[in-house]
Amino acid sequence: MWTFAELLAAIGEIPGIRRVRFTTSHPRDFTRDIVDVIDAVPTLCDHVHLPVQSGSSRILRMMAREYTREWYLERVSWVKSAKRSIALTTDIIVGFPGETPEDFEQTIDLLNEVQYDAVFGFKYSPRPNTPALVMIDSIQDVEKSARLQVLLDRQREIQRINYDKHLGEVMEVMVEGTNPVRGQITGRSSQNKPVNFTIGGPIAPAPGSYAQVRITKTFPNSLVGEAV
């Protein structure tokens, strides 16, 4: 039986395939050989989405996530030590039942430590077939909203710094479409970062094609450039 890393390598080596991206790994299933194969096979996108949900081991235990903060950070260290620069994104829930201000601060501290390229943040709400369904939803919605805003504001500053590092870089962008209002082509880098760029001619490249783009401007959530 193949491991997931072996499957990724086999797909990435099929002739004619230019990019392979997998969407999400539960941290318990994320093994070091996945990082090794991203390093070894150029067609594998240099992006990993590794949902953490909380920076507090106490809250992770209540969520039945089956790992601790330290265990998760070990997997982050594998990504950070890769030869390629691998973008790292995550999901975070704030306001989980029983989440104290100290638990929330541990989540903000995790942002500062990991320096994610993007975070999908959510306020807790009950979901079927989850351990929290029988817990008292003890955090007021106004407090959940406040915590979420703190999280998003901090992440925005982190992303501003991360995206600024691409200024002047030439990167391969897969075309997704056009933005006629702005006169730009829209697409994504191998790190799954949105790139909006201009071209020298009147004919827009087709969706699914690739372009070399020099980054001339950065925002916290997107890059802007021109085709070269």
Side-chain angles (χ1 to χ4, degrees):
M1 181 180 294
W2 285 6
T3 66
F4 182 60
E6 290 169 339
L7 177 63
L8 284 175
I11 295 172
E13 291 167 354
I14 295 174
I17 287 184
R18 193 151 173 179
R19 276 190 187 177
V20 177
R21 186 188 311 282
F22 66 98
T23 53
T24 303
S25 270
H26 192 292
R28 71 184 175 210
D29 301 321
F30 189 76
T31 52
R32 189 157 194 164
D33 58 352
I34 295 175
V35 177
D36 294 339
V37 78
I38 291 174
D39 263 344
V41 183
T43 53
L44 299 184
C45 289
D46 41 1
H47 168 233
V48 169
H49 186 70
L50 199 63
V52 66
Q53 307 301 358
S54 174
S56 164
S57 290
R58 187 182 76 87
I59 296 298
L60 291 173
R61 185 169 59 253
M62 293 172 66
M63 290 177 170
R65 289 290 290 177
E66 301 180 11
Y67 56 84
T68 63
R69 174 194 178 103
E70 291 72 26
W71 197 90
Y72 178 88
L73 284 172
E74 181 184 24
R75 278 130 190 86
V76 170
S77 73
W78 300 342
V79 175
K80 297 287 188 181
S81 64
K83 297 174 185 176
R84 298 172 72 182
S85 178
I86 301 176
L88 190 61
T89 58
T90 198
D91 298 333
I92 291 177
I93 296 172
V94 302
F96 190 84
E99 182 187 68
T100 66
E102 292 74 21
D103 291 319
F104 177 65
E105 281 302 316
Q106 289 181 46
T107 295
I108 297 301
D109 181 67
L110 186 76
L111 291 191
N112 294 331
E113 183 169 353
V114 176
Q115 299 285 299
Y116 291 105
D117 290 275
V119 168
F120 300 90
F122 308 91
K123 295 188 294 184
Y124 166 79
S125 60
R127 290 289 186 271
N129 303 315
T130 64
L133 193 59
V134 297
M135 299 178 185
I136 298 174
D137 191 359
S138 57
I139 312 297
Q140 295 295 316
D141 190 68
V142 64
E143 177 62 22
K144 292 178 186 177
S145 296
R147 292 182 187 183
L148 181 59
Q149 194 58 55
V150 169
L151 177 89
L152 296 178
D153 287 347
R154 178 63 193 121
Q155 178 58 29
R156 183 178 179 83
E157 291 308 309
I158 291 171
Q159 284 181 216
R160 187 185 304 277
I161 294 170
N162 285 350
Y163 277 54
D164 278 350
K165 295 175 183 177
H166 294 293
L167 191 62
E169 179 182 341
V170 175
M171 60 175 57
E172 184 178 78
V173 176
M174 189 183 77
V175 175
E176 294 183 334
T178 61
N179 185 327
V181 175
R182 295 184 178 179
Q184 293 175 325
I185 310 301
T186 61
R188 288 186 181 270
S189 72
S190 178
Q191 290 191 339
N192 204 33
K193 293 175 180 175
V195 182
N196 303 309
F197 64 97
T198 55
I199 56 175
I203 301 177
S209 63
Y210 292 82
Q212 296 297 314
V213 177
R214 178 177 288 108
I215 304 305
T216 58
K217 192 172 184 178
T218 66
F219 295 99
N221 294 303
S222 64
L223 303 169
V224 176
E226 54 189 22
V228 295

